[in-house]
Amino acid sequence: MLEYAAEIDADLIVLGTYGRRGLSRALLGSTTERVVRTADVPVLAVQMGDAG
């Protein structure tokens, strides 16, 4: 994702997040968190709601 953002010279990265907490986040990791920490451009993380 970060490589693609650099390739297209993105000004902003927008990601959806479900806001996992606790053990599930520790075990599965968080793509959004990793992108926020390492991106060279601003990142907008949007809290996603339940679909159903």
Side-chain angles (χ1 to χ4, degrees):
M1 179 178 309
L2 294 174
E3 295 84 11
Y4 181 68
E7 181 181 317
I8 65 168
D9 198 25
D11 293 322
L12 175 70
I13 298 171
V14 180
L15 296 173
T17 181
Y18 287 97
R20 286 190 310 235
R21 302 243 190 266
L23 187 58
S24 66
R25 179 174 166 206
L27 291 175
L28 299 175
S30 172
T31 300
T32 302
E33 182 179 343
R34 185 173 56 249
V35 171
V36 166
R37 284 182 306 175
T38 60
D40 292 330
V41 296
V43 178
L44 175 62
V46 179
Q47 179 81 31
M48 304 297 289
D50 288 336

